[in-house]
């Protein structure tokens, strides 16, 4: 009998086709939760799950007694309780590597759009307000030759550093759990303690994974340390930022503006205070959202899950112990 696989949320058609050849595939939109009968019935029988957006904790796993593997179609895996998964011998995987450049493009685009006020000025032109010369009240700030501070120098952080250094002659500062000598060499990047980076950078770009240590990494105190004419960009997870503190910092002019691709609650509610401010530019978590990259991520996730279900070590295993203890 074919093993059963749940595809949840953003799993591209190409990957679904690949999985259907070997597995009994059950496709869900990604809106379902544990109150959904069809979903919990499928979970009860599932050998594997591939997808994006499910919160996998002890409660979820209690509904999935046969599960052998869970394959995230994302590089971030803060939705997975790795300890609980490992305890149950369930392998977990993610999709690193294939989204670096696409995500760096999006986050750098957000930085540029915020600095040069592109969305605001797009609206200004389209509603017919461009009637005479542009008033200097509409001017933005320079990006080139300024200081870019990157918090979280992983592979995506490095791709952002590359763009800033090579394309915009920016001076690169970074903060990370560990020093990255090769990044320091390639991009003349200077390591800084967090507080020092916040004080010095003209652009603070947050790219760290969400962990218990990085939850609300940016709070009142951190925004106060930033320069009044600095821009904050978040390409990590909403929960790395205390959003109330960010609203306050933006309202009180403690920082100039913010470019945000991620929010504590997603989709972010339309009446959220961050969306009412003039000095924010927002995008709906689009880091990796291009057809080509989403295909690559889904296919890599499918390979990961296939390996687990065939008893092989998947290329992007997050919890070694789960498979070791299984053998
Ligand atoms: C996107 O946010 C990802 O983690 O891949």
């Amino acid at each position: 009998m074919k093993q059963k696989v749940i595809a949840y949320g953003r799993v591209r058609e190409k990957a679904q086709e690949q999985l259907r050849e070997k597995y009994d595939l059950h496709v869900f939109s990604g809106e379902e939760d544990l109150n959904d009968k069809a979903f919990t019935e499928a979970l009860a029988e599932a050998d594997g799950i591939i997808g994006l957006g499910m919160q996998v904790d002890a409660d979820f796993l209690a509904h999935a007694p046969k599960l052998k593997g869970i394959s995230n179609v994302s590089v971030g895996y803060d939705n997975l309780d790795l300890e609980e998964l490992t305890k149950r011998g369930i392998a977990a995987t993610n999709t690193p590597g294939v989204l670096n450049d696409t995500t760096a493009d999006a986050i750098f685009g957000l930085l540029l759009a915020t600095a040069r006020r592109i969305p605001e000025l797009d609206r200004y032109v389209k509603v017919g307000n461009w009637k005479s010369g542009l008033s200097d009240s509409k001017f933005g700030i320079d990006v080139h030759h300024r200081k870019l501070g990157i918090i979280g120098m992983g592979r995506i952080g490095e791709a952002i550093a590359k763009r800033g250094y090579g394309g915009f002659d920016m001076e690169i500062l970074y903060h990370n759990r560990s020093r990255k000598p090769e990044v320091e060499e390639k991009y003349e990047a200077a390591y800084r303690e967090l507080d020092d980076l916040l004080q010095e950078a003209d652009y603070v770009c947050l790219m760290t994974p969400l962990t218990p240590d990085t939850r609300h990494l940016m709070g009142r105190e951190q925004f106060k340390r930033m320069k009044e004419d600095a821009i904050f960009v978040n390409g990590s997870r909403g929960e790395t930022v205390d959003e109330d503190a960010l609203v306050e910092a933006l309202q009180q002019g403690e920082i100039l503006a913010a470019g945000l691709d991620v929010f504590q609650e997603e989709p972010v509610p339309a009446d959220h205070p961050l969306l009412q401010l003039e000095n924010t530019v927002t995008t709906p978590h689009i880091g990796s959202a291009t057809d080509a990259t989403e295909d690559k991520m889904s296919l890599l996730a499918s390979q990961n899950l296939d390996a687990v279900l065939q008893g092989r070590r998947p290329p992007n295993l997050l919890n070694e112990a789960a498979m070791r203890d299984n053998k």
Side-chain angles (χ1 to χ4, degrees), residues 38-114:
F39 183 58
T40 49
E41 278 174 7
L43 259 189
E45 298 295 323
D47 297 281
I49 303 178
I50 179 172
L52 182 71
M54 58 261 156
Q55 283 301 322
V56 178
D57 52 16
D59 189 24
F60 181 96
L61 292 171
H63 289 79
K66 296 187 175 168
L67 205 62
K68 299 187 190 90
I70 180 146
S71 176
N72 254 15
V73 188
S74 64
V75 66
Y77 50 89
D78 45 278
N79 62 315
L80 304 178
D81 186 334
L82 284 188
E83 207 177 305
E84 288 295 334
L85 285 161
T86 306
K87 228 193 275 174
R88 292 167 169 79
I90 301 170
T93 60
N94 66 339
T95 58
V98 292
L99 76 172
N100 300 343
D101 284 320
T102 296
T103 305
D105 284 351
I107 301 306
F108 214 91
L110 189 55
L111 185 154
L112 287 167
T114 311

Side-chain angles (χ1 to χ4, degrees), residues 76-282:
Y77 50 89
D78 45 278
N79 62 315
L80 304 178
D81 186 334
L82 284 188
E83 207 177 305
E84 288 295 334
L85 285 161
T86 306
K87 228 193 275 174
R88 292 167 169 79
I90 301 170
T93 60
N94 66 339
T95 58
V98 292
L99 76 172
N100 300 343
D101 284 320
T102 296
T103 305
D105 284 351
I107 301 306
F108 214 91
L110 189 55
L111 185 154
L112 287 167
T114 311
R116 300 303 301 269
R117 302 166 60 179
I118 290 172
E120 176 191 338
L121 295 175
D122 171 67
R123 288 191 296 273
Y124 173 81
V125 174
K126 286 181 182 162
V127 300
N129 281 344
W130 188 25
K131 296 198 177 100
S132 57
L134 186 71
S135 140
D136 54 12
S137 68
K138 300 285 176 210
F139 290 180
I141 60 166
D142 277 328
V143 172
H144 65 88
H145 293 96
R146 303 196 71 217
K147 284 187 189 173
L148 172 58
I150 300 172
I151 304 171
M153 190 53 89
R155 281 168 279 209
I156 300 172
E158 183 175 340
I160 292 170
K162 182 178 179 184
R163 282 154 178 75
Y165 176 76
F168 295 82
D169 295 310
M170 296 178 93
E171 187 179 331
I172 310 295
L173 310 175
Y174 79 103
H175 179 74
N176 198 51
R177 267 179 317 177
S178 56
R179 292 283 288 263
K180 294 284 177 99
E182 65 296 347
V183 173
E184 293 183 17
E185 181 155 344
K186 265 195 202 151
Y187 309 117
E188 296 181 72
Y191 181 83
R192 292 283 187 273
E193 291 305 328
L194 182 60
D195 284 352
D196 297 334
L197 181 147
L198 295 172
Q199 258 158 10
E200 274 182 63
D202 299 305
Y203 294 88
V204 171
C205 186
L206 184 58
M207 296 308 300
T208 182
L210 173 64
T211 67
D213 288 340
T214 62
R215 193 177 175 278
H216 284 195
L217 184 72
M218 290 297 296
R220 261 187 195 94
E221 204 186 304
Q222 286 69 34
F223 288 119
K224 277 196 203 317
R225 281 188 193 278
M226 284 178 61
K227 297 186 193 175
E228 282 179 9
D229 60 353
I231 283 179
F232 173 69
V233 177
N234 192 5
S236 64
R237 288 289 183 267
E239 284 186 49
T240 52
V241 172
D242 175 346
E243 288 182 344
D244 293 339
L246 176 57
V247 169
E248 213 175 281
L250 287 161
Q251 277 171 341
Q252 295 179 3
E254 283 166 13
I255 65 173
L256 185 68
L260 305 168
D261 187 42
V262 289
F263 300 86
Q264 191 152 337
E265 185 183 342
E266 293 182 5
V268 61
D271 61 353
H272 193 292
L274 282 169
L275 308 190
Q276 319 311 317
L277 296 170
E278 278 295 332
N279 52 349
T280 55
V281 175
T282 59

